Amino acid sequence: MSRSPSPDREPLREFLSGDARELGPLLLGAVLSHDSREGRVSVRLTEVEAYLGPEDSLHPDPGSHTYRGPTPRNAPMFGPAGHLYVYFTYGMHHCTNIVCGPEGVASALLLRAGEIVEGAELARHRRPTSKNPADLASGPARLAKALGLTTAYSGRDALVPPFGLTLPDRPATQVSSGPRVGVSGAGGSEDYAWRFWLSGDPTVSRYKAAKPRPARQHLR
DNA sequence: CACGCGATTTGCT
DNA sequence: GCAAATCGCGTGT
C-alpha cells in the first residue's frame, strides 16, 4: 500500500499557538487554500486583525465574540490553533478567522483581506460583482466568499486538506498597523492597534485603509 | 420568549 | 456620502 506523504503540521500549529497580536504581522503574506468540488482558490493574506478572549484580563476585549465566554458559535476560538472560526453577520455575510493561542485560550486572527493567487476564475464566479481583481478578497466577507467559506466550515482544521496554510518564506518587512475596524468602545481605540496590513498593498480593504500609518508610530 | 444589534457590502444619491 | 438588506446570538423580562 502506498502511504500518502503527510507533512508534519505540528510545528506550524505550535507556531500558531502564540499570541494573535504577535502572529498577525507574521501571517501577512501567508497563503490559505481551499479545495472544493468547484476547484481550488488560494489567498495570500494582506490584512488581518487580532481578537483576544476573556483569559487576558490585562487587555479586556469587548469587541471579541468571546468576551462573555464560550458559546456554541464561538467554541472554535477556544479550540486548538490552526482551526477556522467562521461566523455569520449582518444577516448575510460570513467572516473567517484563524484560531491562535493554546487550546483553551480564545485568541484569533480575523482575515480581513488578501490577494487571490490561485483560482481567480472561480473566485470571480463566486463574487461576480467584483470587477477589479484586487477587490476579489478586499474585505473580510469578500475573502470568505471568494474562498467559498460558510459557517459550515467553522471549526475545521485549516492545516489539513481540503485546506492548507503556508507561511511566507520571510516575514513581511513593510507592515502597518492601526485600530480595528467596526469595533466600538475601548476595543476599537488606538490602544488596541491590532489590525495589521501590508503597507501600500492594493488588496487591503478600502474601508479605513485611506489613512495608513507605519506600525512604528504605535510603539511608544 | 421578545428585542436589539453587529469583526459588512453594495448600490444609489 | 449614506442607507438598506437580513439573522444568529446575547441580554433582559
Side-chain angles (χ1 to χ4, degrees):
Chain A
M1 285 218 281
S2 70
R3 171 177 317 174
S4 63
S6 101
D8 186 2
R9 312 182 233 273
E10 291 322 301
L12 176 53
R13 197 181 308 284
E14 185 169 337
F15 174 75
L16 293 173
S17 298
D19 189 310
R21 291 165 295 182
E22 293 174 15
L23 289 168
L26 301 176
L27 253 69
L28 294 176
V31 174
L32 175 64
S33 301
H34 178 213
D35 284 297
S36 76
R37 202 172 305 168
E38 300 179 288
R40 159 186 275 233
V41 171
S42 300
V43 177
R44 172 176 162 267
L45 304 178
T46 59
E47 181 184 357
V48 299
E49 211 167 68
Y51 286 85
L52 301 187
E55 308 85 10
D56 192 333
S57 52
L58 244 64
H59 301 90
D61 191 358
S64 173
H65 286 175
T66 58
Y67 182 58
R68 291 163 220 287
T71 67
R73 178 177 69 147
N74 66 27
M77 278 189 68
F78 290 87
H83 286 233
L84 298 172
Y85 167 49
V86 185
Y87 66 90
F88 185 68
T89 190
Y90 288 94
M92 61 186 83
H93 296 302
H94 296 276
C95 296
T96 309
N97 295 252
I98 292 181
V99 175
C100 301
E103 201 161 348
V105 174
S107 172
L109 285 167
L110 169 68
L111 309 184
R112 286 199 54 88
E115 173 197 2
I116 305 294
V117 293
E118 192 177 10
E121 191 176 337
L122 175 54
R124 270 197 305 274
H125 180 253
R126 286 170 173 162
R127 299 206 65 251
T129 55
S130 170
K131 317 223 170 195
N132 188 332
D135 290 338
L136 283 171
S138 62
R142 296 175 177 186
L143 187 150
K145 188 80 173 174
L147 278 178
L149 296 178
T150 65
T151 51
Y153 293 93
S154 194
R156 298 281 294 275
D157 193 341
L159 309 188
V160 170
F163 297 98
L165 182 67
T166 308
L167 293 181
D169 294 336
R170 298 179 181 284
T173 52
Q174 303 286 74
V175 176
S176 302
S177 72
R180 295 180 299 182
V181 175
V183 180
S184 56
S189 74
E190 296 278 328
D191 296 332
Y192 288 71
W194 298 346
R195 173 177 168 244
F196 308 95
W197 66 93
L198 292 178
S199 307
D201 192 286
T203 65
V204 169
S205 66
R206 251 317 182 63
Y207 196 44
K208 280 188 178 176
K211 305 169 188 170
R213 288 195 260 106
R216 283 212 182 115
Q217 291 188 2
H218 289 274
L219 304 174
R220 305 207 173 196

